[in-house]
Amino acid sequence: MYAAVVRSFDRPPRYEEFAAPEPTGRQVLVDVLAAGLHPRVRSGANGTHYTSDGSLPLIPGVDGVGRLPDGRRAYFVADDDGPGTMAEQTLLDPRRAVPLPDDADPVVIAAAMNPAMSSWVALRRRISFQPGQSVLVLGATGNAGQMAVQIARHLGAAGIVAAGRDQQRLELLTGLGATRTVSLAGDPAEAADRLGKAAADVDVVIDYTWGAVTERAIPALLTQRAERSAALDWIQIGSMAGPDITLPSFVLRAANLRIMGSGQGSLTAAGIVAELPSLIDQFTAGTLTAAALPVPLAEVERAWTAPIETGRRIVFTPSASA
Ligand SMILES: NC(=O)c1ccc[n+]([C@@H]2O[C@H](COP(=O)([O-])OP(=O)(O)OC[C@H]3O[C@@H](n4cnc5c(N)ncnc54)[C@H](OP(=O)(O)O)[C@@H]3O)[C@@H](O)[C@H]2O)c1
């Protein structure tokens, strides 16, 4: 078969022939119809993800849509220690797969599920989000952020503050459900002040930035909060602005701040998989939308290093029948 193959962590994958994997146990060999190029895929392929054990060569790709031997299609999440999904064929574990309805577009599903799942499971499993609550999405201009805005609206958020750097994308978020937008561009202290003024009284923060953005945002929000003892659930999901923050101890004493993460590990794989069918339903019904850019897998090397089109996810289509 042909696959995207990483042979060095400092070079993009190349399209080349590779031995098809052999299923063991419950695994099934599937034809891959679509696989998204998510940030998590890039960090796995350049060896910087925390699960990376340095082994090469590897086939990247954490999820995708596959066609089973009986013709059915399924969205699936690849096993952590198995081959990735950016190949004509890969292994599917039925415990990490859900069937796709006939009218589901595999490219849209492959683009959408990873970014959408992040806020869907966070709001439904990490906290008990209630209609009428308000949300700040930090890093709302990315694929996951724009999904979080739509999902917060779908789950009944009364107010949705969308914060990001890209002004054009920020403006588009109003059409997706944001009730207010805040620019994170320019002077960091001024951006934090804008955030504090716009979002001090939200109930939930969905945070894709962390790093310097969050470090300034936490005190900016908490010190301007009308009711400090009102709970603020800060859900850490991504770290686009840096892996670490320094947190002054007073913010934990002076307000009712509850910081938690959401992702694989803070949720069980079974818990995440249980949420997938209802999320897929939203895409087939058109309640949620995602922008996808399908690219033949043969073009992986070029597409990997091409400038990233924010808000539109590259989806490789390895199998000709996609
Ligand atoms: N835990 C989970 O379950 C889970 C699931 C999916 C994704 N994630 C994580 O969530 C994050 C976002 O994923 P994505 O799919 O949305 O990625 P994406 O589509 O590539 O978007 C990334 C966004 O990050 C913003 N950004 C980058 N550097 C920034 C900085 N220094 N300050 C402020 N904003 C910055 C950019 O905003 P501008 O365009 O406005 O500059 C961009 O829109 C990633 O870290 C990803 O790994 C986690």
Side-chain angles (χ1 to χ4, degrees):
M1 68 168 189
Y2 275 86
V5 183
V6 176
R7 295 196 178 272
S8 162
F9 287 125
D10 55 11
R11 283 204 308 272
R14 284 204 175 132
Y15 186 69
E16 56 183 68
E17 265 189 291
F18 205 83
E22 300 271 342
T24 57
R26 302 182 199 211
Q27 292 173 332
V28 182
L29 188 66
V30 290
D31 293 333
V32 181
L33 304 181
L37 180 47
H38 315 299
R40 163 72 183 83
V41 177
R42 288 185 188 274
S43 61
N46 66 24
T48 59
H49 194 261
Y50 63 87
T51 59
S52 176
D53 63 3
S55 304
L56 290 173
L58 67 81
I59 296 174
V62 296
D63 68 348
V65 174
R67 191 185 297 284
L68 286 88
D70 64 7
R72 286 178 303 143
R73 303 176 311 163
Y75 169 77
F76 67 106
V77 178
D79 272 339
D80 299 330
D81 48 4
T85 53
M86 294 186 170
E88 286 178 317
Q89 294 184 304
T90 194
L91 300 174
L92 176 151
D93 179 338
R95 291 168 299 185
R96 297 165 74 110
V98 291
L100 271 197
D102 289 344
D103 51 350
D105 179 339
V107 171
V108 170
I109 296 295
M113 292 301 281
N114 170 279
M117 216 189 303
S118 66
S119 55
W120 184 263
V121 297
L123 293 176
R124 286 163 58 97
R125 297 239 164 190
R126 290 299 280 149
I127 62 170
S128 175
F129 183 74
Q130 300 299 318
Q133 289 191 307
S134 56
V135 176
L136 163 66
V137 181
L138 268 183
T141 45
N143 285 277
Q146 69 185 18
M147 289 295 170
V149 168
Q150 294 181 64
I151 286 167
R153 177 174 69 173
H154 175 69
L155 296 179
I160 304 168
V161 182
R165 296 182 304 186
D166 184 309
Q167 191 55 38
Q168 272 186 325
R169 294 218 58 80
L170 267 186
E171 284 160 19
L172 293 176
L173 292 171
T174 306
L176 295 179
T179 51
R180 195 160 177 185
T181 60
V182 176
S183 172
L184 295 178
D187 180 75
E190 288 174 13
D193 191 50
R194 286 193 291 275
L195 267 182
K197 289 194 170 78
D201 294 311
V202 297
D203 302 295
V204 179
V205 178
I206 299 175
D207 185 354
Y208 294 105
T209 55
W210 208 244
V213 174
T214 300
E215 193 165 297
R216 287 180 184 272
I218 291 178
L221 260 67
L222 292 181
T223 52
Q224 298 193 52
R225 207 161 169 76
E227 177 53 71
R228 294 258 190 117
S229 61
L232 174 57
D233 286 324
W234 199 290
I235 315 178
Q236 202 304 305
I237 302 185
S239 44
M240 297 305 298
D244 307 306
I245 63 167
T246 297
L247 186 65
S249 61
F250 84 88
V251 298
L252 294 171
R253 295 191 299 272
N256 189 359
L257 174 65
R258 306 189 293 208
I259 301 182
M260 71 200 84
S262 184
Q264 215 180 331
S266 54
L267 293 152
T268 62
I272 294 174
V273 171
E275 290 293 335
L276 299 181
S278 53
L279 184 53
I280 288 172
D281 286 347
Q282 305 309 321
F283 287 101
T284 46
T287 325
L288 303 176
T289 57
L293 177 64
V295 175
L297 187 61
E299 294 177 28
V300 62
E301 198 173 345
R302 177 199 59 76
W304 203 272
T305 49
I308 293 170
E309 201 182 323
T310 309
R312 196 161 179 225
R313 176 100 332 138
I314 290 175
V315 175
F316 293 113
T317 53
S319 173
S321 55

